[in-house]
């Protein structure tokens, strides 16, 4: 391989460092910016790598990735996120900072002003993860690429704010590494830097495209830019005027399906699912936008298009997490499911989620359908048996599922790692690898014992999976992250996947030798879509065994992708039973909370059951979550941004336009839509609005929900501008011609408001209904068309018009920020001084009593840990610790041990 580098160029630095870090066998060719012999079309100062095959790479990040791949280091989702962030956000800001230093002579913090928020982002990521490097505890291509972009700007470390300690430590570690040090010495030579500075001086100053939080602001697509900027043709203007004139009669008739909703021959039949939320917790805003709200918005759009649509969801209720929560709360698994299913249903009802049916997985239909799929896979040879090593607690007489084990992480030595994953370093763990494992139920030490399990033979099913995937990708709309995650699973080679667990709470395995086991939740849970539909209608197979007539859309967050794109389709393909498989897999990235993570235990973030207590209406929450929906990258909820969007986009833009349009009809024309005589300018507005309307359709048909919302706001901006330019409040006082013009402008504006009511319905159903009521829009006009038509003709009477939105005040938002920043976790009221428990004679060796006390100790221990995490008052913690110690004494006596309990650890006084 030959690597051409121009000394002095920042891009060469990262490439040289990556070559060194990955020990890449390259032949170096040094030259200036004009010597582009390997890649003559590449930009000046760009490196170029000529592979032995003759292929030339000249994207610096692609070259870096190639070196690490060749070294055997596969990228992870996290490294890819960092690389995308570096390319789209860090590089432009670093270019501004470097220009400020080299050309404008700025120094210190002034020079790196453009990097401020981005440096803070790196600091927060490193601090939050507690890892030495950006994507884990080992150096990756992401570290080299980000360091290479920052180093030319931050060589003088006085430019780094002193409070960014995690960033400083990482940056120094990278700079002192051999590969980076050698790259800096080779590339950033004084003479080469002068030449690069001379080159920069001839260039215009770089500038950032936008200020603020780029991750929350969707970039306009090329189509959107085209729709808003390009000149209109005469044909478009004429067509728009003709469509307007045809009026409401030209609209399709709204279609209401029969109940239950079933596929209809000759119609577009759309089946929508959102990932089944775990029943053991309360969903936060990120969970809500990731699946149910996104799916609801699309389902509402489909219904407005007269597509025959069924939207089902429900709580995922089986598995270890439910058993763990039951122990924690001192309830049975069924009681936990009943409690949290009701909580979920209430939350989604408040958010106005329009499920056709919201069910649950703990039903007889679930057992019947899951066992049928299992039997068909077994009969066709797609299941394997194997023995695995697993931890068994002899005290509890049970094999321990992953979440019933805690111990020391074998990777980072965190002492409270779970049996499936370490919360500190994030690495997946096999429970038998834990050091010092403990049973969470009784705190006993489990032993490793062999146990037989069943596996889905994914390698054998791969030859069926791949052609189906290729067809689904070619004909359906899969988000980019869904495609990437699926490809990475297949590229790494599919392996048999265990589908059974040693639990009691789950769908029983109907096979001799395994009847004491249940199906693993990720085999069982997606079958919940089928069983929930079966609880809705006994004709469920018309949806789920009908791929010829049904289009299936799955909505989820990206962590659920492999189970919906690989595991579940393989299960259904292996049955050979003509199941409906996913056509469109829609996955979001993650929504964070104010630069951190949602945490119920720490009281950080807004959870579904708390949103209604804020006093902010559900439709405002819907709007803001959909406005910042993490479609291409992670985004973050921000109270300041919520206030800004409410006050600017809703109150001053959308609400202002709709209110003015309606008020003008009431105030100037007695509540009756006036006659309209369209001018060429009016017709151009109709054509412009039609372009926005069609763009709205194109985006929503591709399930680009966030971007389509921009079209609505753009239409209302056009409307505000139209009113402002034509000033109907002045013209109504003029001569006949002016009054006629005021009537035309008012009539066109109120019809735009009528159309906006329909476009808004998928996003803000209550606001949409309010507009419909205020303007008295006929129900037959509440359907989506590709044309902007006059639905409120002259003579139509409107109702009472009132404001749709209220201003959010800074004091109100700051109070909410404080309340949800770690202070709202429910705390037990301070206990009074505990009175000594009466002495009780406990029967020795009673298994039921030991089990009962074991569960009470575990529950009380979790309660104490939660109080400590919430930083409760010391007196309150001490009182609960005293209860815990008393329970431990009773347990020790029941087990026939000494009742002495170790003194709690504390800080030594010096």
């Amino acid at each position: 391989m030959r690597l051409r580098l121009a000394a002095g160029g920042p891009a060469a630095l990262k490439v040289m460092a990556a070559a060194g870090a990955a020990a890449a066998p390259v032949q170096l060719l040094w030259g200036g910016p004009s010597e582009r012999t390997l890649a003559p079309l590449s930009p000046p100062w760009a490196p170029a790598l000529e592979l032995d095959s003759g292929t030339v790479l000249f994207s610096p990040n692609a070259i870096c990735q190639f070196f690490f791949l060749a070294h055997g280091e596969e990228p992870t989702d996290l490294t890819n996120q960092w690389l995308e962030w570096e390319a789209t956000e860090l590089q432009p800001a670093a270019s501004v900072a470097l220009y400020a230093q080299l050309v404008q002579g700025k120094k210190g913090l002034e020079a790196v002003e453009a990097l401020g928020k981005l440096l803070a982002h790196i600091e927060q990521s490193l601090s939050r993860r507690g890892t030495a490097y950006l994507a884990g505890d080992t150096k990756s291509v992401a570290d080299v690429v980000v360091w290479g972009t920052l180093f030319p700007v931050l060589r003088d470390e006085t430019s780094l704010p002193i409070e960014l300690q995690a960033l400083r430590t990482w940056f120094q570690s990278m700079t002192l590494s051999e590969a980076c040090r050698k790259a800096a010495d080779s590339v950033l030579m004084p003479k080469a830097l002068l030449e690069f500075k001379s080159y920069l001086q001839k260039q215009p100053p770089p500038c950032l495209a936008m200020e603020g939080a780029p991750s929350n602001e969707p970039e306009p697509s090329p189509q959107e830019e085209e729709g808003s900027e390009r000149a209109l043709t005469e044909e478009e203007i004429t067509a728009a005027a003709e469509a307007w004139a045809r009026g409401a009669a030209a609209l399709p008739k709204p279609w209401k399906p029969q109940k239950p909703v079933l596929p209809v021959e000759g119609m577009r039949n759309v089946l929508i699912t959102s990932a089944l939320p775990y029943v053991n917790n309360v969903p936060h805003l990120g969970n809500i936008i990731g699946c149910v709200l996104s799916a609801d918005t699309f389902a509402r759009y489909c219904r407005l298009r007269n597509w025959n649509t069924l939207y089902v969801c429900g709580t995922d209720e089986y598995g270890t997490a439910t058993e763990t929560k039951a122990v924690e709360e001192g309830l049975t698994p069924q009681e936990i499911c009943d409690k949290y299913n009701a909580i979920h249903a209430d939350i989604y009802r408040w958010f106005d989620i329009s499920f056709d049916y919201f069910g649950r997985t703990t039903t007889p239909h679930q057992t019947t359908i899951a066992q049928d799929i299992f039997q068909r896979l077994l009969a066709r040879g797609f299941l394997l048996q194997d023995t695995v090593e697993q931890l068994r607690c002899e005290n509890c007489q049970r094999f321990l599922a992953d979440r019933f084990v805690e111990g020391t992480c074998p990777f980072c030595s965190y002492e409270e790692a779970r049996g499936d994953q370490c919360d500190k370093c994030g690495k997946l763990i096999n429970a038998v690898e834990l050091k010092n494992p403990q049973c969470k139920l009784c705190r006993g030490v489990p032993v490793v014992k062999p146990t037989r399990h069943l596996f889905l033979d994914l390698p054998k099913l791969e030859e069926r999976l791949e052609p189906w995937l290729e067809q689904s990708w070619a004909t359906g709309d899969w988000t980019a992250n869904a495609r990437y995650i699926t490809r990475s699973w297949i590229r790494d080679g599919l392996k048999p996947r265990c589908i059974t667990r040693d639990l009691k709470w789950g769908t029983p395995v109907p096979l001799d030798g395994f009847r004491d086991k249940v199906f693993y939740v990720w085999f069982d849970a997606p079958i919940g879509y089928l069983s929930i539909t079966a609880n809705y209608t006994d004709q469920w197979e018309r949806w789920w065994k009908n791929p010829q007539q049904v289009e299936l859309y799955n909505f989820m967050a990206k962590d659920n992708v492999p189970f919906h794109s690989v595991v579940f389709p393989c299960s259904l393909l292996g049955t050979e039973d003509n199941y409906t498989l996913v056509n469109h897999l829609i996955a979001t990235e993650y929504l964070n909370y104010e630069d951190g993570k949602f945490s119920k235990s720490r009281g950080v973030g807004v959870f579904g059951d708390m949103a209604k207590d804020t006093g902010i209406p559900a439709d405002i929450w819907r709007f803001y979550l959909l406005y910042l929906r993490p479609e291409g990258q992670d985004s973050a909820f921000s109270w300041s941004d919520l206030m800004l969007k409410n006050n600017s986009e809703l109150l001053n833009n959308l609400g202002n336009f709709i209110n003015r349009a309606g008020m003008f009809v009431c105030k100037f024309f007695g509540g009756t839509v006036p006659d309209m005589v369209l001018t060429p300018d009016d017709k151009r507005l109709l054509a412009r609005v039609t372009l926005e309307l069609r763009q709205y359709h194109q985006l929503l048909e591709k399930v680009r929900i966030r971007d389509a919302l921009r079209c609505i706001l753009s239409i209302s901006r056009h409307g505000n501008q139209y009113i402002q330019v034509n000033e109907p409040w002045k013209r109504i006082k003029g001569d006949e011609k002016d009054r006629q013009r005021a009537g035309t402008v008012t009539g066109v504006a109120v019809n735009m408001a009528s159309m906006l009511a329909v476009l808004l319905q998928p996003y803000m159903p209550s606001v949409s209904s309010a507009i419909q009521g205020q303007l008295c829009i006929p129900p037959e006009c509440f359907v989506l068309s590709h044309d902007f038509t006059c639905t409120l003709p002259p003579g139509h009477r409107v109702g009472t018009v009132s404001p749709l939105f209220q201003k959010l005040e800074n004091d109100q938002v700051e109070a909410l920020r404080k309340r949800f920043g770690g202070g709202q976790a429910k705390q037990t009221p301070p206990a009074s001084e505990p009175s000594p428990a009466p002495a009780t004679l406990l029967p020795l060796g009673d298994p039921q009593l030991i089990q009962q006390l074991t569960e009470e100790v575990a529950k009380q221990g979790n309660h104490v840990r939660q109080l400590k995490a919430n930083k409760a008052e010391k007196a309150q913690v001490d009182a609960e610790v005293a209860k815990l110690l008393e329970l431990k004494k009773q347990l020790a006596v029941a087990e026939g041990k000494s009742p002495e309990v170790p003194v709690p650890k504390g800080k030594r006084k010096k």
Side-chain angles (χ1 to χ4, degrees):
M1 295 184 291
R2 291 193 301 159
L3 178 62
R4 197 273 304 169
L5 296 172
L13 181 63
K14 66 172 80 168
V15 169
M16 187 73 174
V26 295
Q27 176 190 354
L28 289 176
L29 302 174
W30 294 95
S34 59
E35 300 174 35
R36 287 174 275 172
T37 53
L38 295 184
L41 297 180
S42 64
W45 299 92
L49 176 68
E50 183 180 24
L51 306 182
D52 295 337
S53 63
T55 301
V56 177
L57 303 178
F58 57 88
S59 161
N61 285 11
I63 295 171
C64 294
Q65 285 179 286
F66 178 83
F67 288 151
F68 274 78
L69 275 170
H71 193 54
E73 297 185 33
E74 294 280 346
T76 65
D77 284 349
L78 192 52
T79 56
N80 284 319
Q81 286 173 26
W82 277 112
L83 291 173
E84 181 182 351
W85 176 82
E86 185 274 342
T88 58
E89 299 189 28
L90 184 62
Q91 274 190 40
S95 297
V96 171
L98 194 60
Y99 191 92
Q101 277 186 348
L102 295 180
V103 178
Q104 297 171 337
K106 296 181 179 179
K107 294 184 178 179
L109 294 176
E110 183 187 14
V112 298
E113 184 180 4
L115 291 171
K117 290 183 179 178
L118 303 174
L119 297 179
H121 172 68
I122 301 174
E123 168 74 17
Q124 289 156 4
S125 297
L126 288 167
S127 300
R128 188 168 66 243
R129 294 182 184 279
T131 54
Y133 296 99
L134 297 177
D137 287 322
T138 56
K139 194 184 305 172
S140 70
V141 63
D143 295 283
V144 173
V145 166
V146 172
W147 173 85
T149 299
L150 288 176
F151 184 78
V153 183
L154 301 179
R155 278 184 300 163
D156 175 7
E157 289 187 17
T158 58
S159 302
L160 264 175
I162 194 163
E163 65 271 14
L164 304 182
Q165 282 301 320
L167 172 59
R168 291 173 74 90
T169 302
W170 168 83
F171 186 74
Q172 289 166 356
S173 171
M174 289 297 299
T175 302
L176 293 173
S177 68
E178 183 179 4
C180 293
R181 193 177 69 251
K182 285 185 175 179
D185 292 343
S186 304
V187 174
L188 302 181
M189 295 179 294
K191 182 179 177 183
L193 280 175
L194 283 174
E195 188 177 352
F196 182 66
K197 177 179 177 180
S198 174
Y199 164 77
L200 282 183
Q201 287 171 333
K202 299 171 186 173
Q203 308 303 314
C207 61
L208 294 176
M210 60 186 293
E211 297 294 331
S215 60
N216 284 358
E217 296 290 343
E219 291 291 333
S221 66
Q223 296 95 327
E224 287 176 288
E225 290 179 341
E226 177 187 336
S228 59
E229 293 177 9
R230 73 169 176 81
L232 295 163
T233 66
E234 286 301 320
E235 290 79 6
E236 287 171 332
I237 295 170
T238 301
E242 290 173 352
W244 165 272
R246 287 194 290 270
L251 292 174
K253 301 299 178 192
W255 181 78
K256 296 293 182 188
Q258 298 292 317
K259 299 294 182 182
V261 182
L262 294 170
V264 176
E265 183 79 36
M267 290 194 70
R268 184 170 181 180
N269 300 294
V270 178
L271 176 57
I272 298 172
T273 69
S274 50
L276 307 183
Y278 277 130
V279 79
N280 68 315
N281 57 24
V282 177
H284 56 64
L285 297 181
N287 303 137
I288 290 167
I289 185 59
C291 51
V292 294
L293 179 54
S294 295
D296 175 67
T297 305
F298 185 67
R300 288 175 177 276
Y301 171 74
C302 292
R303 295 180 190 120
L304 285 171
R305 291 292 303 275
N306 281 346
W307 298 343
N308 186 37
T309 304
L310 178 69
Y311 175 24
V312 295
C313 187
T315 42
D316 176 10
E317 302 191 351
Y318 283 136
T320 315
T322 305
E323 284 199 10
T324 307
K325 192 70 172 179
V327 171
E328 192 179 297
E329 296 198 14
L331 300 172
T332 66
Q334 187 62 61
E335 287 170 339
I336 281 288
C337 292
D338 293 343
K339 172 184 173 180
Y340 281 93
N341 175 270
I343 290 172
H344 277 264
D346 286 344
I347 289 168
Y348 303 139
R349 196 176 298 113
W350 187 78
F351 273 96
D352 215 350
I353 307 298
S354 62
F355 303 118
D356 289 289
Y357 187 76
F358 184 77
R360 53 199 306 183
T361 57
T362 50
T363 65
H365 280 301
Q366 177 74 12
T367 302
T368 302
I369 297 171
Q371 290 184 346
D372 177 67
I373 289 172
F374 168 79
Q375 296 286 14
R376 295 181 72 89
L377 289 169
L378 183 66
R380 286 158 180 75
F382 292 122
L383 298 179
L384 304 171
Q385 296 185 21
D386 200 2
T387 300
V388 296
E389 301 276 285
Q390 198 169 336
L391 291 176
R392 178 178 173 84
C393 178
E394 298 299 350
N395 288 345
C396 300
Q397 287 295 297
R398 64 191 292 174
F399 281 99
L400 297 177
D402 301 337
R403 296 195 182 201
F404 281 113
V405 187
E406 273 187 357
T408 302
C409 175
F411 301 105
C412 72
S413 299
Y414 177 58
E415 292 184 356
E416 294 183 17
R418 297 196 314 267
D420 57 349
Q421 188 172 18
C422 175
D423 284 337
K424 184 177 181 185
C425 68
K427 291 192 175 171
L428 297 178
I429 298 171
N430 187 329
V432 296
E433 298 171 345
L434 284 172
K435 300 174 185 175
N436 308 316
Q438 278 191 328
C439 169
K440 282 186 72 172
L441 290 174
C442 71
R443 290 298 161 191
V445 178
V447 294
V448 177
K449 288 204 170 182
T451 178
R452 298 284 290 171
H453 279 290
L454 292 164
F455 291 75
L456 182 63
D457 193 350
L458 290 178
K460 192 172 180 180
L461 286 158
E462 191 167 355
E463 63 184 22
R464 300 181 183 217
L465 177 71
E466 291 201 21
W468 166 75
L469 274 175
E470 291 301 328
Q471 184 203 12
S472 188
W473 287 344
T475 58
D477 290 310
W478 287 50
T479 51
N481 56 357
R483 291 173 186 256
Y484 173 79
I485 292 167
T486 305
R487 283 196 184 102
S488 67
W489 262 57
I490 293 173
R491 184 190 64 230
D492 295 342
L494 297 181
K495 300 172 182 62
R497 190 166 187 89
C498 187
I499 64 166
T500 53
R501 282 290 185 270
D502 288 295
L503 290 173
K504 303 203 181 305
W505 186 247
T507 302
V509 178
L511 183 65
D512 288 344
F514 297 89
R515 294 187 186 275
D516 59 339
K517 303 181 192 295
V518 300
F519 288 128
Y520 177 40
V521 67
W522 270 115
F523 174 77
D524 192 56
I527 297 171
Y529 299 134
L530 284 61
S531 72
I532 287 167
T533 310
N535 278 286
Y536 169 67
T537 172
D538 57 6
Q539 300 181 68
W540 65 273
E541 291 185 350
R542 289 178 60 183
W543 284 107
W544 285 104
K545 293 185 180 181
N546 190 5
Q548 297 78 19
Q549 287 188 328
V550 173
E551 278 184 79
L552 174 57
Y553 286 80
N554 288 163
F555 285 79
M556 69 203 67
K558 65 180 178 183
D559 56 335
N560 283 335
V561 166
F563 305 104
H564 288 79
S565 67
V566 176
V567 179
F568 188 43
C570 278
S571 300
L572 297 182
L573 287 166
T575 65
E576 299 177 349
D577 204 17
N578 196 40
Y579 273 105
T580 303
L581 301 177
V582 62
N583 304 94
H584 315 275
L585 203 155
I586 314 300
T588 60
E589 300 292 320
Y590 295 136
L591 176 72
N592 296 313
Y593 179 81
E594 294 274 5
D595 299 322
K597 289 185 177 180
F598 290 86
S599 171
K600 187 80 170 177
S601 62
R602 291 186 291 112
V604 175
V606 182
F607 285 72
D609 55 345
M610 303 167 182
K612 62 177 122 179
D613 298 330
T614 61
I616 298 173
D619 267 19
I620 306 301
W621 287 108
R622 286 178 62 107
F623 167 82
Y624 184 59
L625 290 173
L626 291 163
Y627 189 93
L628 54 81
R629 182 174 184 263
E631 290 186 359
Q633 60 185 4
D634 291 358
S635 59
F637 174 92
S638 158
W639 284 107
S640 301
D641 192 49
L642 170 63
M643 179 176 71
L644 177 66
K645 296 303 182 294
N646 178 83
N647 295 348
S648 60
E649 293 291 8
L650 292 181
L651 188 64
N652 295 338
N653 175 15
L654 182 67
N656 181 53
F657 169 66
I658 293 171
N659 186 253
R660 290 169 88 189
M663 287 299 294
F664 290 159
V665 176
C666 296
K667 185 176 180 180
F668 301 145
F669 301 98
T672 300
V673 176
D675 290 329
M676 291 166 271
V677 180
L678 300 183
T679 67
D681 282 346
D682 298 326
K683 293 176 182 178
R684 272 191 289 274
L685 175 67
L686 302 184
R688 184 67 65 194
V689 170
T690 300
L691 282 183
E692 293 286 358
L693 171 62
R694 292 182 178 176
Q695 181 65 21
Y696 169 90
H697 282 296
Q698 288 173 20
L699 290 167
L700 276 176
E701 285 171 6
K702 294 291 184 184
V703 204
R704 288 178 54 191
I705 296 169
R706 182 185 70 178
D707 291 345
L709 181 54
R710 293 166 64 92
C711 297
I712 297 174
L713 300 173
S714 182
I715 289 171
S716 61
R717 270 190 285 273
H718 283 306
N720 275 316
Q721 186 178 11
Y722 177 63
I723 288 175
Q724 211 59 33
V725 167
N726 286 282
E727 300 180 321
W729 61 92
K730 290 183 180 178
R731 292 182 181 269
I732 196 67
K733 300 171 184 175
D735 57 21
E736 182 61 31
K737 184 178 178 182
D738 276 344
R739 287 196 298 276
Q740 185 187 73
R741 183 64 190 149
T744 298
V745 171
T746 299
V748 170
V750 80
N751 271 278
M752 287 176 68
S754 176
M755 186 184 74
L756 283 169
V758 185
L759 300 183
L760 268 175
Q761 202 269 353
Y763 294 88
M764 306 179 78
S766 295
V767 170
S768 169
S769 180
I771 301 168
Q772 185 180 15
Q774 291 183 20
L775 301 184
C776 300
I777 303 170
E780 59 270 20
C781 295
F782 238 70
V783 65
L784 277 171
S785 162
H786 280 69
D787 291 316
F788 176 26
T789 60
C790 179
T791 54
L792 305 183
H796 173 87
R797 288 200 62 80
V798 302
T800 303
V801 177
S802 58
L804 296 167
F805 306 108
Q806 290 185 332
K807 185 178 182 182
L808 282 177
E809 300 292 348
N810 190 59
D811 291 348
Q812 177 188 3
V813 166
E814 284 305 313
L816 289 169
R817 188 203 307 277
K818 185 176 179 182
R819 174 181 164 193
F820 292 101
Q824 93 279 14
K826 292 180 181 176
Q827 298 188 2
T828 308
S832 57
E833 190 68 18
S835 55
T840 308
L841 290 176
L842 298 172
L844 298 179
D846 182 341
Q848 288 187 335
L849 178 62
I850 291 173
Q851 178 70 17
Q852 178 188 338
L853 287 171
T854 295
E855 292 179 0
E856 288 183 17
V857 166
K859 180 183 175 183
Q860 184 66 11
N862 285 329
H863 179 53
V864 169
R865 280 192 290 276
Q866 187 170 357
L867 287 175
K868 289 179 178 178
N870 293 339
K871 298 182 179 177
E873 294 292 331
K874 185 175 184 302
Q876 182 187 356
V877 174
D878 288 347
E880 297 303 315
V881 168
K883 292 180 185 178
L884 175 61
L885 295 178
E886 179 59 34
L887 285 169
K888 286 185 175 180
K889 283 183 184 179
Q890 294 179 27
L891 177 59
V893 171
E895 292 175 333
K897 300 176 183 176
S898 168
E900 293 300 320
V901 178
V903 177
K905 295 178 183 176
K907 293 181 181 177
R908 287 185 181 177
K909 293 184 179 179
K910 294 183 179 178

